Amino acid sequence: MIEKVSGQRYYDYVRQHIYEPAGMARSGSLPEDQPVPDRSVGYIKPPDATTAVANTDWLPYRGTAAGGGYSTVGDLARFAVALLSHKLLSPDSTELPLSGKVKARPGAKYAYGFEDARDEGGNGWVGHGGGAPGMNGDLKIYPKSGYIVAVLANMDPLAAQRISEYLDPRFPSEK
């Protein structure tokens, strides 16, 4: 859809309209056979194995809109700041992906790509997490207090989510 509407290749559009305005210099979706400085290697522990092994044989050729890209916690934090400061979308358009529409689980709704775990007073977070064998990440943005939690792990899910879930109740609702 992005390519049809914009007339640009998906990867070019994301770089020009998200990564560059947000200052995300170390994020992308280059194919696995192209070198990327400091790109980490994920590790999985197969059933009945005693040690972890690199996940490179299980990776897709290239990240897509469904996942598989790479980033850093610094770049994810820059994304959150750019999103909340309306560098990426207008104020009205920013609310669309952040405001929950469908109940996802108790205490949270799903919006357009983001989970909304805020209460009626605006306390709580919006964010997105995900993973695959040998890698996972979680981004939680606390709009009311201004806190941002970005966690990346080169281990099987739910390593990153466990860290962000541990931190969540420890933040004050306001700075």
Side-chain angles (χ1 to χ4, degrees), residues 33-53:
D33 63 356
Q34 293 184 24
V36 173
D38 301 321
R39 179 165 37 188
S40 66
V41 174
Y43 292 92
I44 62 172
K45 192 168 180 189
D48 302 322
T50 56
T51 59
V53 298

Side-chain angles (χ1 to χ4, degrees), residues 14-40:
V14 170
R15 185 180 64 253
Q16 182 181 355
H17 295 276
I18 298 172
Y19 297 156
E20 289 175 2
M24 299 172 68
R26 298 184 65 199
S27 298
S29 296
L30 288 175
E32 287 298 316
D33 63 356
Q34 293 184 24
V36 173
D38 301 321
R39 179 165 37 188
S40 66

Side-chain angles (χ1 to χ4, degrees), residues 38-106:
D38 301 321
R39 179 165 37 188
S40 66
V41 174
Y43 292 92
I44 62 172
K45 192 168 180 189
D48 302 322
T50 56
T51 59
V53 298
N55 70 342
T56 49
D57 290 341
W58 290 275
L59 295 175
Y61 173 69
R62 185 173 196 176
T64 67
Y70 52 87
S71 192
T72 64
V73 292
D75 274 5
L76 291 175
R78 283 184 275 282
F79 169 77
V81 169
L83 184 65
L84 293 181
S85 64
H86 311 296
K87 287 185 178 179
L88 303 177
L89 298 167
S90 71
D92 289 342
S93 293
T94 299
E95 277 305 306
L96 283 172
L98 299 182
S99 298
K101 290 118 178 99
V102 177
K103 186 174 181 175
R105 59 183 174 79

Side-chain angles (χ1 to χ4, degrees), residues 91-135:
D92 289 342
S93 293
T94 299
E95 277 305 306
L96 283 172
L98 299 182
S99 298
K101 290 118 178 99
V102 177
K103 186 174 181 175
R105 59 183 174 79
K109 292 182 178 180
Y110 194 73
Y112 299 125
F114 287 87
E115 191 172 0
D116 182 353
R118 294 175 288 180
D119 63 19
E120 289 80 28
N123 299 306
W125 56 269
V126 295
H128 186 84
M135 66 181 84

